[in-house]
Amino acid sequence: MTLFRRFLLLVAIAFWQGGFMFYGGVVVPTGTAVLGSEVEQGFITESVTNSLNYAGGVCVLLWGITIALDARSPILKRACGAMWLFITAALAVLIGLHVQMDRLLNVADHTVLNEDRFLGLHQAYLTTISLQWIVCLLLLLLTLQMWRTVDADQARPTS
């Protein structure tokens, strides 16, 4: 069961964070070049980010369970818990920002109703998601260390 649970978490992280990295690093610039417009690419991104946020919700749930079950060291548990709270709160902020940005879009005409407001919200979104990504990488590192510790404890002979 432990192996399966770890596998699910790693797949969730890969899908969510890997999807974010690939989308932001490859799809957005390529889409902008092909479509000839950041605005046109933005209407694709508007839809895709909903899926990324759903994936994030699944991932933070699985990650929270993993921390609760596997963190043995109080220091590691606190550190992982704090990072988990940060990425979960960041996800909530991202969802809220996304809703606000959606209200500024006219999907039928592919126009932005208030460009200045949209750009301010978009910058907040990019900052939040970048910080979340960094913390996710740090939490992944700590999660691997946590698993290493659990495995070492289980491998020790009992007297």
Side-chain angles (χ1 to χ4, degrees):
M1 187 62 173
T2 298
L3 180 62
F4 181 70
R5 186 170 43 80
R6 289 177 181 180
F7 173 76
L8 280 180
L9 176 59
L10 289 175
V11 168
I13 294 168
F15 186 82
W16 179 36
Q17 290 301 300
F20 161 68
M21 289 169 38
F22 183 79
Y23 193 81
V26 176
V27 175
V28 169
T30 302
T32 300
V34 169
L35 297 171
S37 165
E38 289 180 353
V39 173
E40 289 301 316
Q41 172 58 43
F43 279 92
I44 295 170
T45 299
E46 183 273 335
S47 183
V48 170
T49 52
N50 288 325
S51 297
L52 281 173
N53 288 336
Y54 289 129
V58 170
C59 189
V60 296
L61 176 66
L62 293 172
W63 225 333
I65 291 167
T66 295
I67 293 166
L69 294 176
D70 291 343
R72 307 280 164 85
S73 155
I75 293 171
L76 192 57
K77 190 169 199 149
R78 280 193 298 276
C80 288
M83 289 182 187
W84 180 84
L85 283 172
F86 179 87
I87 65 172
T88 302
L91 183 60
V93 168
L94 291 169
I95 291 168
L97 288 168
H98 196 272
V99 168
Q100 291 179 55
M101 288 187 294
D102 281 353
R103 291 182 184 142
L104 298 173
L105 299 176
N106 182 332
V107 178
D109 295 341
H110 281 206
T111 57
V112 179
L113 302 175
N114 182 336
E115 194 168 325
D116 288 339
R117 175 87 173 119
F118 183 88
L119 290 175
L121 291 169
H122 190 255
Q123 185 57 53
Y125 192 95
L126 292 176
T127 300
T128 303
I129 203 164
S130 296
L131 292 172
Q132 183 189 55
W133 174 71
I134 292 166
V135 175
C136 281
L137 290 178
L138 292 171
L139 182 55
L140 176 57
L141 181 64
L142 286 183
T143 300
L144 295 173
Q145 178 59 46
M146 180 174 50
W147 288 343
R148 187 174 177 197
T149 302
V150 168
D151 292 346
D153 287 348
Q154 290 176 348
R156 283 194 192 104
T158 57
S159 29

